[in-house]
């Protein structure tokens, strides 16, 4: 049998060191995956940062500017310019875009009104989703339609949309998104579902209910905000979690990965961090439905964790001076050598 160029490259990679100049995007593409980062408009406005993002990654997620409050600050006014800057840069660089997030309980505008009737709230939700999804049609390839609808106990989270519309706001959001773009992939996205437990089970139940009702859901996003060494499943355990949805015919994405530890950092904590990234990439490579891996930023100097969890951090692939960490090299290695977790 004649090996094609990619087949030959894959065969050779079994014994060759990772090429020095291979980017994450190139290594992931050879495994049929897209790999990316969260970005802000300030990143794409800075030529050096923009060039780095364009080179290293094949997909980007808007970290904040597509959320309801930032993009729809007044009832009759949308602010698309910041999101446009990210999408325009990505398209110009041949990158894909994940849209994040149409419905969430945080970063909502103050004009959402608890006194609305259910029908009024549904009309606002429909207008918002239709307007935003339509604007980015054919440019955003995946949308996080509903983010974090289940709380840490496994109950439906008490949110504005639950209180005004009721639990079917989730199904309605997916239906409005599908009506606005028949081709974009629609995701339910959440944290702490990489670990078996009541939250992971309740999210699976929610997804099953959506599928049974014929709601147009295409995938599940695992945020994967991980803390080491306490909170990181093995590659095998993670693979089983991903397979929950693969066996339901859905796609799987790692959507916001970072791996924090309690500061100060030590070589041992950075080693545990590299193991955690390694486990996640291995598990994703073992499940064909897992086709997307996104980190929640790239530089330890620029992460949400510093503000929200002081005392924790240094969770990303590059240190505060911009130097690659061992986690970065481990990810390149696991993509190149395509290591798989053993079958259970
Ligand atoms: O843009 C405003 C600015 O105008 C204002 O002056 C300033 C004052 O505080 O705030 C700025 O907004 C901040 C925004 O980030 C942009 O920097 C918000 O205060 C701040 O709360 C917001 O934090 C974001 C957080 O979501 C909000 O919940 C983080 O950057 C973002 O990384 C984080 O991302 C979430 C995902 O969307 C969902 N999964 C969890 C993840 C981490 O919390």
């Amino acid at each position: 049998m004649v090996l094609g160029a990619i087949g030959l490259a894959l065969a050779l990679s079994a014994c060759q060191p990772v090429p020095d100049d291979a980017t994450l995007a190139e290594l992931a593409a050879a495994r049929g995956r897209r790999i990316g980062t969260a970005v802000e408009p300030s990143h794409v406005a800075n030529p050096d940062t923009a060039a780095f993002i364009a080179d290293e990654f094949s997909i980007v997620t808007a970290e904040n500017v597509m959320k309801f409050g930032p993009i729809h600050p007044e009832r009759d006014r949308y602010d698309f310019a910041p999101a446009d800057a990210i999408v325009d840069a990505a398209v110009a660089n041949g990158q894909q875009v994940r849209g994040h997030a149409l419905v969430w309980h945080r970063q909502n505008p103050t004009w959402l009104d608890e006194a609305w009737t259910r029908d009024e709230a549904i009309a606002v939700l429909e207008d918002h989703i239709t307007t935003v999804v339509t604007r980015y049609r054919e440019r955003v390839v995946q949308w996080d339609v509903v983010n974090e609808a289940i709380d840490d106990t496994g109950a439906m989270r008490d949110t504005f949309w639950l209180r005004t519309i009721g639990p079917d706001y989730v199904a309605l959001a997916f239906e409005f998104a599908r009506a606005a773009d028949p081709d974009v992939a629609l995701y339910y996205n959440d944290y702490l579902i990489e670990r078996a437990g009541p939250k992971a089970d309740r999210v699976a139940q929610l997804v099953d209910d959506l599928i049974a009702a014929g709601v147009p859901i295409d995938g599940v996003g695992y945020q994967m905000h991980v803390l080491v060494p306490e909170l990181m499943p093995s590659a095998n355990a993670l693979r089983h979690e991903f397979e929950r949805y693969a066996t339901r015919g859905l796609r799987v994405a790692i959507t916001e990965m970072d791996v924090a530890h309690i500061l100060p950092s030590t070589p041992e904590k950075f080693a545990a961090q590299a193991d955690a990234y390694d486990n996640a990439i291995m598990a994703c490579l073992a499940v064909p439905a897992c086709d997307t891996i996104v980190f929640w930023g790239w530089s330890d100097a620029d992460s949400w964790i510093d503000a929200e969890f002081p005392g924790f951090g240094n969770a990303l692939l590059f240190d505060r001076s911009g130097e690659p960490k061992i986690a970065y090299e481990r990810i390149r290695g696991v993509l190149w050598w395509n290591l798989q977790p053993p079958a259970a």
Side-chain angles (χ1 to χ4, degrees):
M1 192 174 81
V2 179
L3 280 173
I6 292 178
L8 184 60
L10 292 179
L12 285 174
S13 73
C15 48
Q16 299 293 321
V18 188
D20 286 342
D21 58 354
T23 64
L24 292 180
E26 290 165 343
L27 294 167
R31 307 298 170 197
R33 267 70 179 179
R34 60 201 105 191
I35 197 160
T37 181
V39 292
E40 295 279 22
S42 58
H43 299 142
V44 299
N46 176 316
D48 291 342
T49 310
F52 165 79
I53 295 168
D55 212 31
E56 194 72 63
F57 300 110
S58 49
I59 188 165
V60 297
T61 304
E63 184 168 347
N64 284 293
V65 295
M66 286 182 169
K67 293 170 182 172
F68 205 130
I71 207 166
H72 195 172
E74 294 170 38
R75 187 162 184 177
D76 298 321
R77 183 173 70 84
Y78 287 83
D79 182 8
F80 291 120
D84 285 356
I86 288 173
V87 173
D88 291 348
V91 170
N93 292 324
Q95 293 169 307
Q96 295 186 321
V97 181
R98 296 197 85 249
H100 172 83
L102 296 169
V103 183
W104 193 29
H105 61 283
R106 297 184 68 181
Q107 283 172 290
N108 280 320
T110 51
W111 56 268
L112 296 185
D113 188 345
E114 297 273 353
W116 285 338
T117 64
R118 170 180 153 87
D119 285 349
E120 285 173 311
I122 289 174
V124 167
L125 186 69
E126 181 170 16
D127 167 73
H128 176 80
I129 291 176
T130 304
T131 304
V132 175
V133 173
T134 301
R135 183 171 186 93
Y136 297 109
R137 206 169 148 163
E138 293 174 9
R139 294 185 292 161
V140 164
V141 296
Q142 303 175 4
W143 267 110
D144 288 331
V145 178
V146 176
N147 194 36
E148 303 173 8
I150 302 299
D151 72 18
D152 296 357
T153 70
M156 283 294 286
R157 188 183 295 280
D158 181 16
T159 71
F160 171 82
W161 301 109
L162 185 71
R163 291 190 295 275
T164 52
I165 297 177
D168 60 335
Y169 83 85
V170 175
L172 288 167
F174 278 92
E175 280 158 10
F176 296 149
R178 174 56 73 236
D181 186 342
D183 299 319
V184 69
L186 304 178
Y187 286 72
Y188 175 80
N189 190 50
D190 215 329
Y191 64 86
L192 258 190
I193 54 172
E194 66 274 12
R195 296 177 65 79
K199 177 160 183 177
D201 289 344
R202 182 64 185 86
V203 167
Q205 182 63 54
L206 172 72
V207 170
D208 277 346
D209 291 347
L210 295 174
I211 294 170
V215 172
I217 178 171
D218 300 299
V220 171
Y222 286 74
Q223 294 184 7
M224 298 210 58
H225 295 292
V226 170
L227 178 68
V228 287
E230 293 84 356
L231 282 176
M232 181 61 207
S234 68
N236 242 331
L238 198 48
R239 191 188 70 187
H240 283 300
E241 291 303 316
F242 291 166
E243 282 171 346
R244 274 188 198 248
Y245 297 106
T247 57
R248 288 162 161 88
L250 296 184
R251 290 164 60 178
V252 170
I254 295 172
T255 54
E256 306 182 13
M257 189 163 185
D258 48 27
V259 182
H261 50 254
I262 295 173
L263 301 174
S265 298
T266 62
E268 292 74 23
K269 291 174 188 175
F270 281 135
Q273 175 179 70
D275 288 345
Y277 278 111
D278 195 323
N279 286 353
I281 307 296
M282 273 204 285
C284 185
L285 292 177
V287 178
C290 180
D291 57 12
T292 303
I293 300 158
V294 178
F295 307 113
W296 212 234
W298 66 93
S299 165
D300 287 344
D302 191 8
S303 161
W304 68 285
I305 297 171
D306 290 358
E308 290 207 24
F309 293 102
F312 295 79
N314 289 347
L316 293 164
L317 305 184
F318 293 81
D319 70 17
R320 288 169 193 266
S321 313
E323 294 300 315
K325 294 158 62 177
I326 56 170
Y328 175 77
E329 294 304 338
R330 286 282 290 283
I331 291 172
R332 295 175 78 245
V334 74
L335 288 169
W336 179 249
W337 286 299
N338 196 17
L339 305 175
Q340 303 271 327

